[in-house]
Amino acid sequence: MSVLRGKKILLGVSGGIAAYKTAHLVRLFIKAGAQIQVIMTPASKDFVTPLTLSTLSKNPVHSSFFKDEDDPSLSGEQAKQNSQWNNHVELALWADLMLIAPATANTLSKMANGNCDNLLIATYLSAKCPVFFAPAMDLDMYKHPSTVSTFKALHQFGNTIIPAESGELASGLSGEGRMAEPENIIAFLEADIESNLPLKGKKILITAGPTYEAIDPVRFIGNHSSGKMGFDIAECASRMGAEVTLITGPSHLDTKDANISVNRIVSAQEMYDSCHKYYNDADIVICAAAVADYRPTFVADQKIKKADDTLTIELEKTKDILASLGHLKKNQYLVGFALETNNEIENAKLKIQKKNLDLIVLNSLQDKGAGFGKDTNKVTFIDKDFVIEAMDLKSKEEVAQDIINKIIKQYHV
């Protein structure tokens, strides 16, 4: 899965012949799972239509300071009446990254000098996110001292150049200045993002879901955990660059992230064995699974027939996976979960001490919207120094991001 998945990308298109490549570029971004908004300079519309990029990006294309002026169905006079502002500040703050491709000599000069005469430059000057630009111009223009000076200025501003490639140019000459091919732009962005991911090179072990403890070949003891919290944490960790191993009990969930190694188990003993198999190689371990505390002492070989009015099943304790990992801990950062119904904070603190944890994620069934089988969760972080941080009710995807951010901060990645 591409690291561009879920990224909000603002694509600026300036007026050069290479603008025709942006249709393919937008398609590649969409295929990678990114969200795209496009800003076009007025001159770029001579090379590719806003309708094409709007259709491919699934968003309106912006090209002027007023929204109605972007609508080709309106006359100039109609567009001026009751116009709404295209808020360049909102566009800039929306983006996770901004890419200007093609970036002509004219647009690059405006970027370097703050010549703010169109929506693209106004948005660029408001951008707080990383900015990339892919130059496109003829050979002599690309090598001209003023262009080289512009590149240096933009580099000093913190912008990143995606170098032009060599090949046949629109002038008929052959040489450097050709805009990088869309596939190479995507690869460049992915490599740059990956190199800056905070969990790059870290191995994370995550548990998720319930365990099923067999009574007979048909029946089992289990719980209502869906595994969603653990799956969301795994996908978030992977997006942050981690190499993720996910051990999950019975769950209908799956992940499309090919970078996550999924190991499916059924019982608490199987989860215990799997955790210990991968534990020594892990840098960070997050135990989000709802593991059964007890299992039947004897498992019937055949289905138990309904005979008496009552049935007594003798139970025995399962192995405490989290405690066993805490006992063996060397350099691992160990995170546990606690689902409590009373004395939540005190019980969680005791769990930190008894199981040698670095961080505990506390859930309370007293909180509306939290617990099993819901798309939301409300957690409280308690670290090994008993520093408490209560979070608001959020989607489990947002909670997963909070958990990973907390670990990054605490683990000093």
Coordinates of all heavy atoms in Angstrom, one line a residue, residues 104-139:
T104 N 6.6 26.0 -14.3 CA 7.3 26.8 -15.4 C 8.2 27.8 -14.8 O 8.2 28.1 -13.6 CB 6.2 27.5 -16.2 OG1 5.5 28.4 -15.4 CG2 5.3 26.5 -16.9
A105 N 9.1 28.3 -15.6 CA 10.1 29.3 -15.2 C 9.3 30.5 -14.6 O 9.8 31.1 -13.6 CB 11.0 29.7 -16.3
N106 N 8.2 30.9 -15.2 CA 7.5 32.0 -14.8 C 6.9 31.8 -13.4 O 7.0 32.6 -12.5 CB 6.3 32.3 -15.8 CG 5.6 33.6 -15.4 OD1 6.1 34.6 -15.1 ND2 4.2 33.5 -15.6
T107 N 6.3 30.6 -13.2 CA 5.7 30.3 -11.9 C 6.7 30.2 -10.8 O 6.6 30.7 -9.7 CB 4.8 29.0 -12.0 OG1 3.7 29.3 -12.8 CG2 4.4 28.5 -10.6
L108 N 7.8 29.6 -11.1 CA 8.9 29.4 -10.2 C 9.5 30.8 -9.7 O 9.8 31.0 -8.6 CB 10.0 28.5 -10.7 CG 9.7 27.1 -10.9 CD1 10.8 26.4 -11.7 CD2 9.5 26.4 -9.6
S109 N 9.6 31.7 -10.7 CA 10.1 33.0 -10.4 C 9.1 33.7 -9.4 O 9.6 34.4 -8.5 CB 10.3 33.8 -11.7 OG 10.7 35.1 -11.4
K110 N 7.8 33.6 -9.7 CA 6.8 34.2 -8.8 C 6.9 33.6 -7.4 O 6.8 34.3 -6.4 CB 5.4 34.0 -9.4 CG 5.2 34.8 -10.7 CD 3.8 34.5 -11.2 CE 3.5 35.3 -12.5 NZ 2.2 35.1 -13.1
M111 N 7.1 32.3 -7.3 CA 7.2 31.6 -6.0 C 8.4 32.2 -5.3 O 8.3 32.4 -4.0 CB 7.4 30.1 -6.2 CG 6.1 29.4 -6.7 SD 6.5 27.7 -7.3 CE 7.1 27.0 -5.8
A112 N 9.5 32.4 -5.9 CA 10.8 32.8 -5.3 C 10.7 34.3 -4.9 O 11.3 34.7 -3.9 CB 12.0 32.6 -6.2
N113 N 9.9 35.1 -5.6 CA 9.9 36.5 -5.3 C 8.6 37.0 -4.7 O 8.5 38.2 -4.4 CB 10.2 37.3 -6.6 CG 11.6 37.0 -7.2 OD1 12.5 37.6 -6.6 ND2 11.7 36.2 -8.2
G114 N 7.7 36.1 -4.5 CA 6.4 36.5 -3.9 C 5.5 37.3 -4.7 O 4.7 38.1 -4.2
N115 N 5.6 37.2 -6.0 CA 4.8 37.9 -7.0 C 3.4 37.2 -7.0 O 3.2 36.3 -7.8 CB 5.4 37.9 -8.4 CG 4.7 38.7 -9.4 OD1 3.7 39.4 -9.0 ND2 5.1 38.7 -10.6
C116 N 2.5 37.7 -6.2 CA 1.2 37.0 -6.0 C 0.1 37.6 -6.8 O -0.7 38.4 -6.4 CB 0.9 37.2 -4.5 SG -0.6 36.3 -4.0
D117 N 0.1 37.1 -8.1 CA -0.9 37.6 -9.0 C -1.9 36.6 -9.5 O -2.7 36.8 -10.4 CB -0.2 38.2 -10.3 CG 0.5 37.2 -11.1 OD1 0.7 36.1 -10.6 OD2 1.0 37.6 -12.2
N118 N -1.9 35.4 -8.9 CA -2.9 34.4 -9.2 C -3.2 33.5 -7.9 O -2.4 33.6 -6.9 CB -2.5 33.5 -10.4 CG -1.3 32.7 -10.2 OD1 -1.0 32.1 -9.2 ND2 -0.4 32.8 -11.2
L119 N -4.2 32.7 -8.0 CA -4.6 31.9 -6.9 C -3.6 30.9 -6.5 O -3.4 30.6 -5.3 CB -6.0 31.2 -7.2 CG -6.5 30.3 -6.1 CD1 -6.9 31.1 -4.9 CD2 -7.8 29.5 -6.6
L120 N -2.9 30.3 -7.5 CA -1.9 29.3 -7.2 C -0.8 29.9 -6.3 O -0.4 29.3 -5.3 CB -1.3 28.7 -8.5 CG -0.1 27.8 -8.3 CD1 -0.4 26.6 -7.4 CD2 0.4 27.3 -9.7
I121 N -0.2 31.1 -6.6 CA 0.8 31.7 -5.9 C 0.3 32.1 -4.5 O 1.0 31.9 -3.5 CB 1.5 32.9 -6.6 CG1 2.0 32.4 -8.0 CG2 2.6 33.5 -5.8 CD1 3.1 31.3 -7.9
A122 N -0.9 32.6 -4.4 CA -1.4 33.0 -3.1 C -1.5 31.8 -2.2 O -1.2 31.9 -1.0 CB -2.8 33.6 -3.3
T123 N -2.0 30.7 -2.7 CA -2.1 29.5 -1.9 C -0.7 29.0 -1.5 O -0.5 28.6 -0.4 CB -2.8 28.4 -2.7 OG1 -4.1 28.9 -3.2 CG2 -3.1 27.1 -1.9
Y124 N 0.3 29.0 -2.5 CA 1.6 28.6 -2.2 C 2.2 29.4 -1.0 O 2.8 28.9 -0.1 CB 2.5 28.7 -3.4 CG 4.0 28.8 -3.1 CD1 4.7 27.6 -2.7 CD2 4.7 30.0 -3.1 CE1 6.0 27.7 -2.4 CE2 6.0 30.0 -2.8 CZ 6.7 28.9 -2.4 OH 8.0 28.9 -2.1
L125 N 2.0 30.7 -1.0 CA 2.5 31.6 0.0 C 1.9 31.4 1.4 O 2.4 31.8 2.4 CB 2.4 33.1 -0.4 CG 3.2 33.5 -1.6 CD1 2.9 34.9 -2.0 CD2 4.7 33.4 -1.3
S126 N 0.7 30.7 1.4 CA 0.0 30.4 2.6 C 0.3 29.0 3.1 O -0.2 28.6 4.2 CB -1.5 30.6 2.4 OG -1.8 31.9 2.1
A127 N 1.0 28.2 2.3 CA 1.1 26.8 2.7 C 2.0 26.6 3.9 O 3.1 27.2 4.0 CB 1.7 26.0 1.5
K128 N 1.6 25.7 4.8 CA 2.4 25.3 5.9 C 3.0 23.9 5.7 O 3.8 23.5 6.5 CB 1.5 25.4 7.2 CG 1.0 26.7 7.5 CD 2.0 27.7 7.9 CE 1.4 29.0 8.5 NZ 0.7 29.8 7.5
C129 N 2.5 23.2 4.7 CA 2.9 21.8 4.5 C 4.1 21.8 3.6 O 4.5 22.8 3.1 CB 1.7 21.1 3.8 SG 1.3 21.8 2.2
P130 N 4.8 20.6 3.5 CA 5.9 20.5 2.6 C 5.5 20.8 1.1 O 4.4 20.5 0.7 CB 6.3 19.0 2.7 CG 5.8 18.6 4.0 CD 4.5 19.4 4.2
V131 N 6.3 21.5 0.4 CA 6.0 21.9 -1.0 C 7.1 21.3 -1.9 O 8.3 21.4 -1.7 CB 6.0 23.5 -1.1 CG1 5.8 23.8 -2.6 CG2 5.0 24.1 -0.3
F132 N 6.6 20.6 -2.9 CA 7.4 20.0 -4.0 C 7.1 20.7 -5.3 O 6.0 21.1 -5.5 CB 7.2 18.5 -4.1 CG 7.4 17.7 -2.8 CD1 6.5 17.7 -1.8 CD2 8.6 17.0 -2.7 CE1 6.7 17.0 -0.7 CE2 8.9 16.3 -1.5 CZ 7.9 16.3 -0.5
F133 N 8.1 20.8 -6.1 CA 7.9 21.4 -7.5 C 8.7 20.6 -8.5 O 9.8 20.1 -8.3 CB 8.2 22.9 -7.6 CG 9.7 23.2 -7.3 CD1 10.6 23.3 -8.3 CD2 10.1 23.4 -6.0 CE1 11.9 23.7 -8.0 CE2 11.4 23.7 -5.7 CZ 12.3 23.9 -6.7
A134 N 8.0 20.4 -9.7 CA 8.6 19.6 -10.8 C 8.8 20.6 -12.0 O 7.8 20.8 -12.7 CB 7.7 18.4 -11.1
P135 N 10.0 21.1 -12.2 CA 10.2 22.1 -13.2 C 9.9 21.4 -14.6 O 10.2 20.2 -14.8 CB 11.7 22.4 -13.1 CG 12.1 22.0 -11.7 CD 11.2 20.8 -11.4
A136 N 9.5 22.3 -15.5 CA 9.3 21.9 -16.9 C 9.5 23.1 -17.8 O 8.8 24.1 -17.8 CB 7.9 21.4 -17.1
M137 N 10.6 23.0 -18.6 CA 10.9 24.2 -19.5 C 12.0 23.7 -20.5 O 12.5 22.5 -20.4 CB 11.5 25.4 -18.7 CG 12.7 25.1 -17.9 SD 13.0 26.3 -16.6 CE 11.8 25.9 -15.3
D138 N 12.3 24.5 -21.4 CA 13.3 24.1 -22.4 C 14.7 24.1 -21.8 O 15.0 24.7 -20.7 CB 13.3 25.1 -23.6 CG 13.7 24.4 -24.9 OD1 12.9 23.6 -25.4 OD2 14.8 24.6 -25.4
L139 N 15.6 23.5 -22.5 CA 17.0 23.2 -22.0 C 17.7 24.5 -21.6 O 18.2 24.6 -20.5 CB 17.8 22.5 -23.1 CG 19.3 22.3 -22.8 CD1 19.5 21.4 -21.6 CD2 20.0 21.7 -24.0

